[in-house]
Amino acid sequence: MAPQQEPAERVRPETIKAVPVRHPGRWVTAAVLLVLAAQFVHMLVTNPAFQWAYVVDNAFRPPVIEGVRTSLILMVLAMIIGVVLGIVLAVMRLSDNPILRGVSWLYIWVFRALPRLVLAILFGNMGVLYAEFSFGLPFTEQFADLLGVDINGTLFSVDATTLLTGFMAGLLALALSEAAYMAEIVRAGLLSVDPGQTEAAAALGMSKLQITRRIVLPQAMRVILPPTGSETIVMLKDTSLVAYVPVTNELFFQLQAIGNREFQPFPMLVAACLWYLALTSVLLVGQYFLEKRFSRGTGEQSGANRAKTRLRIMKGAQ
């Protein structure tokens, strides 16, 4: 019988010397962008047309601060109305009832097709169509003429100019338009949830409310929230459209009024850009933290976490 050979000692492989891939194109692109950024900053600082001292002196006047408050109120109210009505329209669109689906589709088709500026001006001039809005029993005048009697079925009436103020007209235009977009966002979020999960939850004895609250909404919110945050930022910027209704205490209207009154329109346009940039930046920060909260448990890792995971794997392999 041949003697058993001892196994040869395992030789540890040499350490791999990883050489990073060269990306000269990235460095060239970065250098070009730095030069362009430096030129842009130089223009901002040296061009006298910006008149930064004038911008600072007039961008924080009390009427402008009041305009900021009005714009924020418009944004919040329009988004609340738009989200609530959008949820209703999305549920109608997913309904088995063909009439509800048709009404929802018609609403979304109309208000997505019409520009918000046109809607704002249209609602602002609604007094041309109706001098007053009356609420009461329908067809009373026709029945009165048919019977030859005097019947007044009006319960109460409101003057159109009193009801549809500039603020209300702008709010309705923004909110009704936003509802059409939110309906599609909510519908996409609800459709993103696997129907098998709701069926499994129903098989476990969960009610429809429990299924919606515990199964559907937590998953749908991850799809609904990012576009909703973007729609909120767009809504803040679109509040400038109500200046053409006009809403005289709105931010853009006030800045335009200062510039036109003192024959300095361009510096006030720069001030408007800075105000909207600052306000949208705050909303972006809030959107980031909301998305981070609703993305918990999805298994997504940040860049730093992925790098730490790879490092641990490499150390374990050694």
Side-chain angles (χ1 to χ4, degrees), residues 207-222:
S207 64
K208 290 186 177 181
L209 182 61
Q210 289 177 324
I211 294 173
T212 302
R213 183 169 59 89
R214 297 182 179 180
I215 306 298
V216 177
L217 283 181
Q219 299 181 73
M221 285 300 292
R222 289 195 287 267

Side-chain angles (χ1 to χ4, degrees), residues 247-308:
V247 179
T248 57
N249 60 341
E250 185 269 335
L251 174 60
F252 185 58
F253 186 94
Q254 288 295 331
L255 291 171
Q256 268 195 321
I258 294 173
N260 294 335
R261 184 168 59 247
E262 300 181 6
F263 302 101
Q264 296 288 350
F266 185 78
M268 288 296 95
L269 290 175
V270 174
C273 293
L274 295 177
W275 265 115
Y276 287 113
L277 182 63
L279 295 174
T280 53
S281 299
V282 175
L283 293 178
L284 284 172
V285 173
Q287 179 185 357
Y288 168 77
F289 284 106
L290 280 176
E291 290 183 12
K292 186 177 180 181
R293 175 178 177 80
F294 281 97
S295 64
R296 293 179 303 178
T298 59
E300 297 180 359
Q301 292 180 313
S302 64
N305 291 335
R306 286 194 297 268
K308 291 178 181 178

Side-chain angles (χ1 to χ4, degrees), residues 170-209:
L171 175 61
L172 285 176
L174 296 176
L176 296 180
S177 175
E178 183 60 34
Y181 291 94
M182 284 305 306
E184 293 297 281
I185 292 173
V186 174
R187 185 172 70 94
L190 295 177
L191 291 176
S192 68
V193 181
D194 187 359
Q197 298 189 31
T198 58
E199 294 174 1
L204 292 175
M206 297 178 66
S207 64
K208 290 186 177 181
L209 182 61

Side-chain angles (χ1 to χ4, degrees), residues 8 26 88 107 120 126 129 142 144 211 233 239 244 282:
R26 295 182 181 180
V88 175
Y107 180 98
M126 195 61 72
L129 186 61
Q142 287 75 10
I211 294 173
I233 294 172
T239 56
Y244 299 95
V282 175

Side-chain angles (χ1 to χ4, degrees), residues 120-185:
I121 298 175
L122 176 66
F123 280 109
N125 291 274
M126 195 61 72
V128 176
L129 186 61
Y130 292 105
E132 64 178 12
F133 296 98
S134 300
F135 300 89
L137 300 176
F139 304 111
T140 53
E141 294 182 1
Q142 287 75 10
F143 282 115
D145 294 339
L146 181 63
L147 299 175
V149 295
D150 186 13
I151 301 176
N152 186 6
T154 302
L155 300 178
F156 65 92
S157 60
V158 181
D159 187 69
T161 57
T162 303
L163 181 62
L164 281 179
T165 61
F167 182 89
M168 185 59 66
L171 175 61
L172 285 176
L174 296 176
L176 296 180
S177 175
E178 183 60 34
Y181 291 94
M182 284 305 306
E184 293 297 281
I185 292 173

